[in-house]
Coordinates of all heavy atoms in Angstrom, one line a residue:
M1 N 118.6 112.6 97.1 CA 118.1 112.8 98.4 C 118.7 111.7 99.3 O 118.7 110.5 98.9 CB 116.6 112.7 98.4 CG 116.0 112.8 99.8 SD 114.2 112.8 99.9 CE 114.0 114.4 99.1
T2 N 119.1 112.0 100.5 CA 119.7 111.0 101.4 C 118.6 110.5 102.3 O 117.5 111.1 102.5 CB 120.8 111.7 102.3 OG1 120.2 112.7 103.1 CG2 121.9 112.3 101.4
F3 N 118.9 109.4 103.0 CA 118.0 108.8 103.9 C 117.7 109.8 105.1 O 116.6 109.9 105.6 CB 118.5 107.5 104.5 CG 117.6 106.9 105.6 CD1 116.3 106.4 105.3 CD2 118.0 106.9 106.9 CE1 115.5 106.0 106.3 CE2 117.2 106.4 107.9 CZ 115.9 105.9 107.6
R4 N 118.7 110.5 105.5 CA 118.6 111.4 106.6 C 117.6 112.5 106.2 O 116.7 112.9 107.0 CB 119.9 112.0 107.0 CG 119.8 113.0 108.1 CD 121.2 113.4 108.6 NE 121.8 112.2 109.2 CZ 122.7 112.2 110.1 NH1 123.2 113.4 110.5 NH2 123.2 111.1 110.6
E5 N 117.7 113.0 105.0 CA 116.7 114.0 104.6 C 115.3 113.5 104.5 O 114.3 114.1 104.9 CB 117.1 114.6 103.2 CG 118.4 115.4 103.2 CD 118.9 115.7 101.8 OE1 118.5 115.0 100.9 OE2 119.7 116.7 101.7
L6 N 115.2 112.2 104.0 CA 113.9 111.6 103.8 C 113.2 111.3 105.2 O 112.1 111.5 105.4 CB 114.0 110.3 103.1 CG 112.7 109.6 102.7 CD1 111.9 110.4 101.7 CD2 113.1 108.2 102.0
S7 N 114.1 110.9 106.2 CA 113.5 110.5 107.5 C 113.1 111.7 108.3 O 112.4 111.6 109.3 CB 114.6 109.7 108.3 OG 115.7 110.5 108.6
K8 N 113.4 112.9 107.9 CA 113.0 114.2 108.6 C 111.6 114.6 108.1 O 111.0 115.5 108.8 CB 114.0 115.3 108.4 CG 115.3 115.0 109.1 CD 116.3 116.2 108.9 CE 117.6 115.9 109.7 NZ 118.6 117.0 109.5
K9 N 111.1 114.0 107.1 CA 109.8 114.5 106.5 C 108.7 113.7 107.2 O 108.8 112.6 107.5 CB 109.8 114.2 105.0 CG 110.8 115.0 104.3 CD 110.8 114.7 102.8 CE 111.9 115.3 102.0 NZ 111.9 116.7 102.0
E10 N 107.6 114.4 107.4 CA 106.4 113.8 107.9 C 105.7 113.0 106.8 O 105.7 113.5 105.7 CB 105.4 114.9 108.4 CG 105.8 115.6 109.7 CD 105.8 114.8 110.9 OE1 104.9 113.9 111.0 OE2 106.5 115.1 111.8
V11 N 105.2 111.9 107.2 CA 104.4 111.0 106.2 C 102.9 111.3 106.4 O 102.4 111.2 107.5 CB 104.7 109.5 106.4 CG1 103.9 108.7 105.4 CG2 106.2 109.3 106.2
V12 N 102.3 111.7 105.3 CA 100.9 112.1 105.4 C 100.1 111.2 104.4 O 100.4 111.1 103.2 CB 100.6 113.6 105.0 CG1 99.1 113.9 105.0 CG2 101.4 114.5 105.9
Q13 N 99.0 110.5 104.9 CA 98.2 109.7 104.1 C 97.2 110.6 103.4 O 96.4 111.3 104.1 CB 97.5 108.6 105.0 CG 97.0 107.5 104.3 CD 95.5 107.6 104.0 OE1 94.8 108.5 104.5 NE2 95.0 106.7 103.2
L14 N 97.1 110.5 102.1 CA 96.3 111.4 101.3 C 94.8 111.3 101.5 O 94.0 112.2 101.7 CB 96.6 111.3 99.9 CG 97.9 111.9 99.4 CD1 98.2 111.5 98.0 CD2 97.8 113.4 99.6
E15 N 94.2 110.0 101.6 CA 92.8 109.8 101.6 C 92.2 110.4 102.9 O 91.1 111.1 102.8 CB 92.5 108.3 101.6 CG 91.0 108.0 101.4 CD 90.8 106.5 101.3 OE1 91.6 105.9 100.5 OE2 89.9 106.0 101.9
E16 N 92.8 110.2 104.0 CA 92.2 110.7 105.3 C 92.9 112.0 105.8 O 92.5 112.6 106.7 CB 92.4 109.6 106.4 CG 91.7 108.3 106.1 CD 90.2 108.5 106.2 OE1 89.7 109.3 107.0 OE2 89.5 107.8 105.4
G17 N 94.1 112.3 105.2 CA 94.8 113.5 105.6 C 95.5 113.2 107.0 O 95.8 114.2 107.7
A18 N 95.7 112.0 107.3 CA 96.3 111.6 108.6 C 97.8 111.7 108.6 O 98.5 111.2 107.6 CB 95.9 110.2 109.0
C19 N 98.4 112.3 109.6 CA 99.9 112.3 109.7 C 100.3 111.0 110.4 O 99.9 110.7 111.5 CB 100.3 113.5 110.6 SG 102.1 113.6 110.8
L20 N 101.1 110.2 109.7 CA 101.5 108.9 110.2 C 102.8 108.9 111.0 O 103.1 107.9 111.6 CB 101.6 107.9 109.0 CG 100.3 107.8 108.1 CD1 100.6 106.9 106.9 CD2 99.2 107.3 108.9
G21 N 103.5 109.9 110.9 CA 104.8 109.9 111.6 C 106.0 110.1 110.6 O 105.8 110.8 109.6
R22 N 107.1 109.5 110.9 CA 108.3 109.6 110.1 C 108.9 108.3 109.8 O 108.6 107.3 110.5 CB 109.4 110.5 110.8 CG 108.9 111.9 111.0 CD 109.8 112.7 111.7 NE 109.2 114.0 112.0 CZ 109.8 115.1 112.0 NH1 111.1 115.2 111.8 NH2 109.1 116.2 112.3
I23 N 109.7 108.2 108.7 CA 110.3 107.0 108.2 C 111.4 106.5 109.2 O 112.2 107.3 109.6 CB 110.8 107.2 106.8 CG1 109.8 107.6 105.8 CG2 111.6 105.9 106.3 CD1 108.7 106.6 105.7
D24 N 111.4 105.2 109.5 CA 112.4 104.7 110.4 C 113.5 103.9 109.7 O 114.6 103.8 110.1 CB 111.8 103.8 111.5 CG 110.9 104.6 112.4 OD1 111.4 105.6 113.0 OD2 109.7 104.2 112.6
D25 N 113.1 103.2 108.5 CA 114.0 102.3 107.8 C 113.6 102.2 106.4 O 112.4 102.6 106.0 CB 114.1 101.0 108.5 CG 115.4 100.3 108.4 OD1 116.2 100.8 107.6 OD2 115.5 99.2 109.0
L26 N 114.4 101.6 105.6 CA 114.2 101.3 104.2 C 114.4 99.9 103.9 O 115.2 99.2 104.5 CB 115.1 102.1 103.3 CG 115.2 103.6 103.4 CD1 116.3 104.2 102.6 CD2 113.9 104.2 103.0
V27 N 113.7 99.4 102.9 CA 114.0 98.0 102.3 C 114.6 98.3 100.9 O 113.9 98.9 100.1 CB 112.7 97.2 102.2 CG1 113.1 95.8 101.5 CG2 112.2 96.9 103.6
I28 N 115.8 97.8 100.7 CA 116.5 98.1 99.4 C 116.7 96.7 98.7 O 117.1 95.8 99.3 CB 117.8 98.8 99.7 CG1 117.6 100.1 100.3 CG2 118.6 99.0 98.4 CD1 118.8 100.9 100.7
D29 N 116.4 96.7 97.4 CA 116.7 95.5 96.6 C 118.2 95.4 96.4 O 118.8 96.3 95.8 CB 115.9 95.6 95.2 CG 116.1 94.4 94.4 OD1 116.7 93.4 94.8 OD2 115.6 94.5 93.2
P30 N 118.8 94.3 96.8 CA 120.2 94.2 96.7 C 120.8 94.1 95.3 O 121.9 94.4 95.0 CB 120.6 92.9 97.5 CG 119.3 92.1 97.6 CD 118.2 93.1 97.5
E31 N 119.9 93.6 94.4 CA 120.4 93.5 93.0 C 120.4 94.8 92.2 O 121.3 95.0 91.4 CB 119.5 92.4 92.3 CG 119.7 91.0 92.8 CD 118.8 90.0 92.1 OE1 118.3 90.3 91.0 OE2 118.7 88.9 92.6
T32 N 119.3 95.6 92.4 CA 119.2 96.8 91.7 C 119.6 98.1 92.5 O 119.7 99.2 91.9 CB 117.8 97.0 91.2 OG1 116.9 97.1 92.3 CG2 117.4 95.9 90.3
A33 N 119.8 97.9 93.8 CA 120.1 99.0 94.7 C 119.0 100.1 94.7 O 119.3 101.3 94.9 CB 121.4 99.6 94.4
R34 N 117.7 99.7 94.5 CA 116.6 100.6 94.5 C 115.8 100.4 95.8 O 115.7 99.3 96.3 CB 115.7 100.4 93.3 CG 116.3 100.8 92.0 CD 115.3 100.6 90.9 NE 115.7 101.5 89.8 CZ 114.9 102.0 89.0 NH1 113.7 101.8 89.0 NH2 115.4 102.8 88.0
V35 N 115.3 101.5 96.3 CA 114.4 101.5 97.4 C 113.1 100.8 97.0 O 112.4 101.3 96.1 CB 114.2 102.9 98.0 CG1 113.2 102.8 99.2 CG2 115.5 103.5 98.4
E36 N 112.7 99.8 97.8 CA 111.4 99.1 97.5 C 110.3 99.5 98.4 O 109.2 99.6 98.0 CB 111.6 97.6 97.6 CG 112.4 97.0 96.5 CD 112.5 95.5 96.6 OE1 112.2 94.9 97.6 OE2 112.8 94.9 95.5
K37 N 110.7 99.7 99.7 CA 109.7 99.9 100.7 C 110.2 100.9 101.8 O 111.4 100.9 102.0 CB 109.2 98.7 101.4 CG 108.6 97.6 100.5 CD 108.4 96.3 101.2 CE 108.0 95.3 100.2 NZ 106.7 95.0 100.0
L38 N 109.3 101.6 102.4 CA 109.6 102.5 103.6 C 109.0 101.8 104.8 O 107.9 101.3 104.7 CB 109.1 103.9 103.4 CG 109.4 104.6 102.1 CD1 108.7 105.9 102.0 CD2 110.9 104.8 102.0
L39 N 109.7 101.8 105.9 CA 109.2 101.2 107.1 C 109.0 102.2 108.2 O 109.9 103.1 108.4 CB 110.2 100.1 107.6 CG 110.5 99.0 106.7 CD1 111.5 98.0 107.3 CD2 109.2 98.2 106.3
M40 N 107.9 102.2 108.9 CA 107.6 103.0 110.0 C 107.3 102.1 111.2 O 106.3 101.3 111.2 CB 106.4 103.9 109.7 CG 106.6 104.8 108.6 SD 105.1 105.8 108.2 CE 105.1 106.9 109.7
L41 N 108.2 102.0 112.1 CA 108.1 101.1 113.3 C 106.9 101.5 114.1 O 106.5 102.7 114.3 CB 109.3 101.1 114.1 CG 110.6 100.7 113.4 CD1 111.8 100.9 114.3 CD2 110.5 99.4 112.8
G42 N 106.2 100.5 114.7 CA 105.1 100.7 115.6 C 105.6 101.4 116.9 O 106.7 101.5 117.2
R43 N 104.6 101.9 117.6 CA 104.9 102.6 118.9 C 105.4 101.6 119.9 O 104.8 100.5 120.0 CB 103.6 103.3 119.4 CG 103.2 104.5 118.6 CD 102.1 105.2 119.2 NE 101.8 106.4 118.4 CZ 100.7 107.1 118.6 NH1 99.8 106.7 119.4 NH2 100.5 108.1 117.8
P44 N 106.3 102.0 120.8 CA 106.8 101.1 121.8 C 105.7 100.9 122.9 O 105.0 101.8 123.2 CB 108.0 101.8 122.5 CG 108.3 103.0 121.6 CD 107.1 103.2 120.7
K45 N 105.7 99.6 123.4 CA 104.7 99.3 124.5 C 105.5 99.2 125.8 O 106.5 98.5 125.9 CB 104.1 98.0 124.2 CG 103.2 98.0 122.9 CD 102.6 96.6 122.7 CE 101.9 96.5 121.4 NZ 101.4 95.2 121.1
L46 N 105.0 100.0 126.8 CA 105.6 100.0 128.1 C 107.1 100.3 128.0 O 108.0 99.5 128.4 CB 105.4 98.8 128.9 CG 105.8 98.8 130.4 CD1 104.9 99.9 131.1 CD2 105.6 97.5 131.0
F47 N 107.4 101.4 127.3 CA 108.8 101.9 127.1 C 109.7 100.9 126.4 O 110.9 100.8 126.5 CB 109.5 102.2 128.5 CG 108.7 103.2 129.3 CD1 108.0 102.7 130.4 CD2 108.6 104.5 129.0 CE1 107.3 103.6 131.2 CE2 107.9 105.4 129.7 CZ 107.2 105.0 130.9
G48 N 109.1 100.1 125.5 CA 109.8 99.2 124.7 C 110.0 97.8 125.3 O 110.5 96.9 124.7
L49 N 109.6 97.7 126.6 CA 109.9 96.4 127.3 C 108.9 95.3 126.8 O 109.3 94.1 126.9 CB 109.6 96.6 128.8 CG 110.6 97.5 129.5 CD1 110.2 97.7 130.9 CD2 112.0 97.0 129.4
L50 N 107.8 95.7 126.3 CA 106.8 94.7 125.8 C 106.8 94.7 124.2 O 105.8 94.2 123.6 CB 105.4 95.0 126.3 CG 105.3 94.9 127.8 CD1 103.9 95.3 128.2 CD2 105.6 93.5 128.3
G51 N 107.9 95.1 123.6 CA 107.9 95.1 122.2 C 107.3 96.4 121.6 O 107.2 97.4 122.2
R52 N 106.9 96.3 120.3 CA 106.4 97.4 119.6 C 105.1 97.0 119.0 O 104.8 95.9 118.8 CB 107.3 97.9 118.5 CG 108.6 98.5 119.0 CD 109.4 99.1 117.8 NE 110.4 99.9 118.2 CZ 110.2 101.3 118.3 NH1 109.1 101.8 118.0 NH2 111.2 102.0 118.7
G53 N 104.3 98.0 118.6 CA 103.1 97.8 117.8 C 103.5 97.4 116.4 O 104.6 97.2 116.0
E54 N 102.5 97.2 115.5 CA 102.7 96.7 114.2 C 103.5 97.8 113.3 O 103.2 99.0 113.4 CB 101.3 96.5 113.5 CG 101.4 95.9 112.2 CD 100.0 95.6 111.6 OE1 99.1 95.5 112.4 OE2 99.9 95.4 110.4
T55 N 104.4 97.3 112.5 CA 105.2 98.1 111.6 C 104.4 98.4 110.4 O 103.8 97.5 109.8 CB 106.5 97.4 111.3 OG1 107.3 97.2 112.5 CG2 107.3 98.2 110.3
L56 N 104.3 99.7 110.0 CA 103.6 100.1 108.8 C 104.6 100.0 107.6 O 105.7 100.6 107.7 CB 103.1 101.5 108.9 CG 102.4 102.1 107.7 CD1 101.1 101.2 107.4 CD2 101.9 103.5 108.0
V57 N 104.3 99.3 106.6 CA 105.1 99.1 105.4 C 104.5 99.9 104.2 O 103.3 99.7 103.9 CB 105.3 97.7 105.0 CG1 106.1 97.5 103.8 CG2 105.9 96.9 106.2
I58 N 105.2 100.8 103.6 CA 104.8 101.6 102.5 C 105.6 101.3 101.3 O 106.8 101.4 101.3 CB 104.9 103.1 102.8 CG1 104.1 103.5 104.1 CG2 104.4 103.9 101.6 CD1 104.4 104.9 104.6
D59 N 104.9 100.7 100.3 CA 105.6 100.4 99.0 C 106.0 101.7 98.3 O 105.3 102.7 98.4 CB 104.7 99.6 98.1 CG 104.5 98.2 98.6 OD1 105.4 97.6 99.1 OD2 103.4 97.6 98.4
W60 N 107.1 101.6 97.6 CA 107.6 102.8 96.9 C 106.6 103.4 95.9 O 106.5 104.6 95.7 CB 109.0 102.5 96.2 CG 109.6 103.7 95.6 CD1 109.6 104.1 94.3 CD2 110.3 104.8 96.4 NE1 110.3 105.3 94.2 CE2 110.7 105.7 95.4 CE3 110.6 105.0 97.7 CZ2 111.4 106.9 95.8 CZ3 111.3 106.1 98.0 CH2 111.7 107.0 97.1
G61 N 105.9 102.5 95.3 CA 104.8 102.9 94.3 C 103.7 103.7 94.9 O 102.9 104.3 94.2
E62 N 103.5 103.6 96.3 CA 102.4 104.3 96.9 C 102.8 105.7 97.3 O 101.9 106.5 97.8 CB 102.0 103.5 98.2 CG 101.4 102.2 97.9 CD 101.1 101.4 99.2 OE1 101.8 101.6 100.2 OE2 100.2 100.5 99.1
I63 N 104.0 106.1 97.0 CA 104.4 107.5 97.3 C 103.9 108.4 96.1 O 104.2 108.1 95.0 CB 105.9 107.6 97.4 CG1 106.4 106.8 98.6 CG2 106.3 109.1 97.5 CD1 107.9 106.8 98.7
E64 N 103.0 109.4 96.5 CA 102.5 110.2 95.5 C 103.4 111.5 95.2 O 103.5 111.9 94.1 CB 101.1 110.7 95.9 CG 100.1 109.6 96.0 CD 99.7 108.9 94.7 OE1 99.8 109.6 93.7 OE2 99.5 107.7 94.7
K65 N 103.9 112.0 96.3 CA 104.7 113.2 96.1 C 105.7 113.3 97.3 O 105.3 113.1 98.5 CB 103.8 114.5 96.1 CG 104.4 115.8 96.0 CD 104.8 116.1 94.6 CE 105.3 117.5 94.5 NZ 105.9 117.8 93.2
I66 N 106.9 113.7 97.0 CA 107.9 114.0 98.0 C 108.1 115.5 98.0 O 108.7 116.1 97.1 CB 109.2 113.3 97.8 CG1 109.0 111.8 97.8 CG2 110.3 113.7 98.8 CD1 110.2 111.0 97.5
G67 N 107.6 116.2 99.0 CA 107.7 117.7 99.1 C 108.9 118.1 100.0 O 109.7 117.3 100.5
T68 N 109.0 119.4 100.3 CA 110.1 119.9 101.1 C 109.9 119.5 102.6 O 110.9 119.3 103.3 CB 110.2 121.4 101.0 OG1 108.9 122.0 101.3 CG2 110.5 121.8 99.6
D69 N 108.6 119.4 103.0 CA 108.4 119.1 104.5 C 107.7 117.8 104.7 O 107.6 117.3 105.8 CB 107.5 120.2 105.1 CG 108.3 121.5 105.1 OD1 109.5 121.5 105.3 OD2 107.6 122.6 104.9
A70 N 107.0 117.2 103.6 CA 106.2 116.1 103.8 C 106.3 115.1 102.7 O 106.8 115.4 101.6 CB 104.7 116.5 104.0
L71 N 105.9 113.9 103.0 CA 105.9 112.7 102.0 C 104.4 112.3 101.9 O 103.8 111.9 102.9 CB 106.7 111.6 102.6 CG 107.1 110.5 101.7 CD1 108.1 110.9 100.7 CD2 107.6 109.3 102.6
L72 N 103.8 112.5 100.8 CA 102.4 112.2 100.6 C 102.3 110.8 100.0 O 102.9 110.4 99.0 CB 101.7 113.2 99.7 CG 101.9 114.6 100.1 CD1 101.2 115.5 99.0 CD2 101.3 114.9 101.4
V73 N 101.5 109.9 100.7 CA 101.3 108.5 100.3 C 99.9 108.1 100.2 O 99.0 108.7 100.8 CB 102.0 107.6 101.4 CG1 103.5 107.8 101.4 CG2 101.4 107.7 102.7
S74 N 99.6 107.1 99.4 CA 98.3 106.7 99.2 C 98.0 105.3 99.8 O 97.1 104.6 99.5 CB 98.0 106.6 97.7 OG 98.9 105.6 97.0
T75 N 98.8 104.9 100.8 CA 98.7 103.7 101.5 C 97.5 103.7 102.4 O 97.0 104.7 102.8 CB 100.0 103.3 102.3 OG1 99.9 102.0 102.8 CG2 100.1 104.3 103.4
K76 N 96.9 102.5 102.7 CA 95.8 102.4 103.6 C 96.3 102.6 105.0 O 97.4 102.2 105.4 CB 95.2 101.0 103.5 CG 94.6 100.7 102.1 CD 93.4 101.5 101.8 CE 92.8 101.1 100.4 NZ 91.8 102.1 100.0
L77 N 95.4 103.1 105.8 CA 95.7 103.3 107.2 C 95.7 102.0 107.9 O 94.9 101.1 107.6 CB 94.7 104.3 107.9 CG 94.7 105.7 107.5 CD1 93.6 106.5 108.2 CD2 96.1 106.3 107.9
P78 N 96.6 101.8 108.9 CA 96.6 100.6 109.7 C 95.3 100.4 110.5 O 94.7 101.4 111.0 CB 97.8 100.7 110.6 CG 98.1 102.1 110.7 CD 97.6 102.8 109.4
E79 N 94.9 99.2 110.7 CA 93.8 98.9 111.6 C 94.2 99.2 113.0 O 95.3 98.8 113.4 CB 93.3 97.4 111.5 CG 92.8 97.1 110.1 CD 91.5 97.8 109.8 OE1 90.7 97.9 110.7 OE2 91.3 98.1 108.6
T80 N 93.3 99.8 113.8 CA 93.6 100.0 115.2 C 92.9 99.0 116.0 O 91.9 98.5 115.7 CB 93.1 101.4 115.6 OG1 91.7 101.5 115.4 CG2 93.8 102.5 114.8
G81 N 93.6 98.7 117.1 CA 93.1 97.7 118.0 C 92.6 98.3 119.3 O 92.6 97.7 120.4
G82 N 92.0 99.5 119.2 CA 91.5 100.3 120.3 C 90.2 99.8 120.8 O 89.7 98.7 120.5
P83 N 89.6 100.5 121.7 CA 88.3 100.2 122.3 C 87.2 100.0 121.2 O 87.2 100.7 120.2 CB 87.9 101.4 123.2 CG 89.2 102.0 123.5 CD 90.1 101.8 122.3
G84 N 86.5 98.9 121.3 CA 85.4 98.6 120.3 C 85.9 97.7 119.2 O 85.1 97.3 118.4
A85 N 87.2 97.5 119.1 CA 87.7 96.6 118.1 C 87.4 95.2 118.2 O 87.5 94.4 117.3 CB 89.3 96.8 118.0
D86 N 86.9 94.8 119.4 CA 86.5 93.4 119.7 C 85.0 93.2 119.4 O 84.5 92.1 119.7 CB 86.8 93.1 121.1 CG 86.1 94.0 122.1 OD1 85.5 95.0 121.7 OD2 86.3 93.8 123.3
G87 N 84.4 94.2 118.7 CA 83.0 94.0 118.3 C 82.0 94.3 119.3 O 80.8 93.9 119.2
Q88 N 82.3 95.0 120.3 CA 81.3 95.4 121.4 C 80.9 96.8 121.3 O 80.6 97.5 122.2 CB 81.9 95.1 122.8 CG 82.2 93.7 123.0 CD 82.8 93.4 124.4 OE1 82.9 94.3 125.2 NE2 83.2 92.2 124.7
G89 N 81.0 97.4 120.1 CA 80.5 98.8 119.9 C 81.7 99.7 119.9 O 82.8 99.4 120.5
P90 N 81.5 100.9 119.4 CA 82.6 101.9 119.2 C 83.1 102.5 120.6 O 84.2 102.9 120.7 CB 82.0 103.0 118.3 CG 80.6 102.8 118.4 CD 80.3 101.4 118.7
D91 N 82.2 102.5 121.6 CA 82.6 103.1 122.9 C 82.9 102.0 123.9 O 83.0 102.4 125.1 CB 81.5 104.0 123.4 CG 81.3 105.2 122.4 OD1 82.3 105.6 121.8 OD2 80.1 105.7 122.3
A92 N 83.0 100.8 123.5 CA 83.2 99.7 124.5 C 84.6 99.8 125.1 O 85.5 100.2 124.5 CB 83.0 98.4 123.9
K93 N 84.7 99.6 126.4 CA 85.9 99.6 127.2 C 86.1 98.3 127.9 O 85.2 97.7 128.4 CB 85.9 100.8 128.2 CG 86.2 102.1 127.6 CD 86.3 103.1 128.8 CE 86.8 104.4 128.2 NZ 87.0 105.4 129.3
K94 N 87.4 97.9 128.0 CA 87.7 96.7 128.8 C 87.7 97.1 130.3 O 88.1 98.3 130.6 CB 89.0 96.2 128.4 CG 89.1 95.6 127.0 CD 90.4 95.0 126.7 CE 90.5 94.4 125.3 NZ 91.8 93.9 125.0
P95 N 87.2 96.3 131.2 CA 87.2 96.7 132.6 C 88.7 96.8 133.1 O 89.6 96.1 132.7 CB 86.6 95.5 133.3 CG 86.6 94.4 132.3 CD 86.7 95.0 130.9
G96 N 88.9 97.8 133.9 CA 90.2 98.1 134.5 C 90.6 97.0 135.5 O 89.8 96.2 135.9
L97 N 91.9 97.1 135.9 CA 92.4 96.1 136.8 C 91.7 96.2 138.1 O 91.3 95.2 138.7 CB 93.9 96.4 137.0 CG 94.6 95.5 138.0 CD1 94.6 94.0 137.5 CD2 96.1 95.9 138.1
L98 N 91.4 97.4 138.7 CA 90.8 97.5 139.9 C 89.4 96.9 139.9 O 88.9 96.2 140.8 CB 90.7 99.0 140.3 CG 90.1 99.3 141.7 CD1 90.9 98.6 142.8 CD2 90.0 100.8 141.9
H99 N 88.7 97.2 138.8 CA 87.3 96.6 138.6 C 87.3 95.1 138.6 O 86.5 94.5 139.2 CB 86.7 97.2 137.3 CG 85.3 96.8 137.0 ND1 84.9 95.6 136.4 CD2 84.2 97.4 137.3 CE1 83.6 95.5 136.4 NE2 83.1 96.6 136.9
R100 N 88.3 94.5 137.9 CA 88.4 93.1 137.9 C 88.8 92.5 139.2 O 88.3 91.4 139.6 CB 89.4 92.7 136.8 CG 88.9 92.8 135.4 CD 89.8 92.3 134.3 NE 90.8 93.4 134.1 CZ 92.0 93.3 133.5 NH1 92.4 92.1 133.2 NH2 92.8 94.3 133.3
L101 N 89.7 93.2 140.0 CA 90.1 92.7 141.3 C 89.0 92.7 142.3 O 88.8 91.8 143.1 CB 91.3 93.5 141.8 CG 92.6 93.3 141.1 CD1 93.6 94.2 141.7 CD2 93.1 91.8 141.3
L102 N 88.1 93.7 142.2 CA 87.0 93.9 143.1 C 85.8 93.0 142.7 O 84.9 92.9 143.5 CB 86.6 95.3 143.3 CG 87.7 96.2 143.9 CD1 87.3 97.6 143.9 CD2 88.1 95.7 145.3
G103 N 85.9 92.5 141.5 CA 84.8 91.7 141.0 C 83.5 92.4 140.7 O 82.4 91.9 140.7
G104 N 83.6 93.7 140.4 CA 82.4 94.5 140.2 C 81.9 94.6 138.9 O 81.9 94.0 137.9

C-alpha cells in the first residue's frame, strides 16, 4: 500500500466511533524503514496565519484494521479546548469582543 492510498482513507477512532480525518504525514524509522507513527495535522487557525491546532500522533501499534475506505484506530481522542474547558461548566462561554469593549 502506498502513502497516497493510505492518506485517502478516513481515520475512525473505535471507542467513540469518531471520524478524526485523514493522514497527513508519516514517521519512518530510518534504520528499519518501517512506519512508526501516523500524523494528523491540527486545524489551521485563521487560515493558517496563527499556526495550527495540536497534531494528533497515532502509533502504528494502535491501528486495529486497515479497510478499503477507513483506518480503524484505538488511540485516545485529543482533549478539546472548547467552551467549558477552563473549568467554568460545560456551557460556559468567553465574553465576545463587543461585550468586553462595552464593559457589559
Side-chain angles (χ1 to χ4, degrees):
M1 174 175 296
T2 65
F3 174 70
R4 181 170 293 205
E5 293 169 338
L6 188 64
S7 66
K8 290 181 182 179
K9 298 179 187 297
E10 291 287 332
V11 178
V12 178
Q13 196 264 354
L14 285 172
E15 187 176 321
E16 299 289 327
C19 181
L20 302 177
R22 296 179 187 216
I23 301 299
D24 293 307
D25 206 354
L26 302 172
V27 175
I28 299 175
D29 182 4
E31 294 179 13
T32 62
R34 290 185 157 206
V35 176
E36 290 184 340
K37 301 172 192 262
L38 306 175
L39 302 177
M40 299 177 68
L41 301 178
R43 291 188 177 162
K45 296 179 184 176
L46 191 64
F47 306 106
L49 297 173
L50 299 178
R52 290 185 166 269
E54 186 176 339
T55 298
L56 178 63
V57 178
I58 301 169
D59 288 326
W60 186 257
E62 293 176 335
I63 298 173
E64 298 294 328
K65 180 79 174 171
I66 299 176
T68 56
D69 297 324
L71 191 73
L72 305 177
V73 298
S74 61
T75 189
K76 298 290 182 191
L77 288 177
E79 295 292 326
T80 58
D86 55 358
Q88 297 180 2
D91 296 326
K93 283 188 170 180
K94 293 182 180 178
L97 179 62
L98 184 61
H99 185 273
R100 287 184 276 161
L101 288 175
L102 296 176

